[in-house]
Amino acid sequence: ISSPVARALRLIARKGREHRKPVTLCGELASKPLGALMLVQRKAAERRVPVSLGGASEELRFLLVLTKLDDLFEIEGGAA
């Protein structure tokens, strides 16, 4: 698991126990972004923690729309 994804999973585990605050992923995911995002989203959903994407690239936004997964994430701002 890439380090941004591992960090997100740790945050989800901790925030799921605390206040169910949103977890925001920022920047690019190095490899297999869709699979990594789905892993994070699935773990977050289990704990009822919202996931937002900060600085998502146009390519990632397009991929989410194309795969009809855009409604699972709140997308904040544009690419960094």
Side-chain angles (χ1 to χ4, degrees), residues 20-80:
R20 300 201 196 298
K21 293 180 184 175
V23 171
T24 302
L25 300 175
C26 295
E28 301 284 330
L29 294 174
S31 63
K32 302 178 187 172
L34 192 57
L37 286 175
M38 292 311 302
L39 174 62
V40 168
Q41 195 282 328
R42 183 174 42 234
K43 292 296 183 181
E46 289 172 2
R47 292 171 175 80
R48 296 187 194 127
V49 176
V51 177
S52 62
L53 303 176
S57 68
E58 287 301 315
E59 293 85 8
L60 180 56
R61 291 171 186 249
F62 178 75
L63 182 60
L64 291 172
V65 170
L66 187 66
T67 57
K68 299 181 181 180
L69 297 172
D70 55 316
D71 61 334
L72 296 178
F73 303 96
E74 178 181 327
I75 300 176
E76 299 176 353

